[in-house]
Amino acid sequence: MDVLTLGQVRIHNGGATQETALQEATDILVSAGAVTPAYVDAMRQREETVSTYMGNGLAIPHGTNETKDAILASALSVVRYDGGVNWAGDPVTFVVGIAGRGDEHLEILSQIAILFSDEDEVERLAAAQTPDELFARLSAVND
């Protein structure tokens, strides 16, 4: 099963608060059948401990280890906020929600990190006009 589908990719012209972004990431993962609605609390707990801001306009919210029971399957949500998100003081454009069964989240995290460590790639992701185009540029995460 693919961790990312077109339905899990969104683009917003405006910005959002960090709280709204966490809720949207969770809602997408819930719709995908990957997590229970309680997962948003796990994401909040993680942010209170350590920010999931990664640099290059990327945040990758995910739950804490204690909340594995909220995860039903591995999946990603990708939301681009063209108006930006203030992520605990850091500027974020891409919010990539991650739910990983067992150790799968580590592999998914590394694929996302590699993708976003390439500034040219980040520019291409930022330039994508539609969710279709953005999804096509991210589909390597399913390999």
Side-chain angles (χ1 to χ4, degrees), residues 70-92:
I71 299 175
L72 311 172
S74 296
L76 287 175
S77 63
V78 177
V79 185
R80 192 180 83 199
Y81 296 95
D82 292 344
V85 180
N86 177 341
W87 204 268
D90 292 302
V92 163

Side-chain angles (χ1 to χ4, degrees), residues 67-130:
T67 51
K68 290 287 187 200
D69 52 350
I71 299 175
L72 311 172
S74 296
L76 287 175
S77 63
V78 177
V79 185
R80 192 180 83 199
Y81 296 95
D82 292 344
V85 180
N86 177 341
W87 204 268
D90 292 302
V92 163
T93 305
F94 290 92
V95 177
V96 179
I98 296 178
R101 294 282 291 169
D103 290 333
E104 288 177 9
H105 71 285
L106 296 173
E107 191 175 318
I108 298 167
L109 276 169
S110 70
Q111 287 179 317
I112 295 292
I114 290 165
L115 192 63
F116 279 87
S117 65
D118 180 340
E119 288 185 18
D120 292 338
E121 195 58 50
V122 174
E123 279 181 30
R124 282 191 284 273
L125 295 170
Q129 298 293 305
T130 62

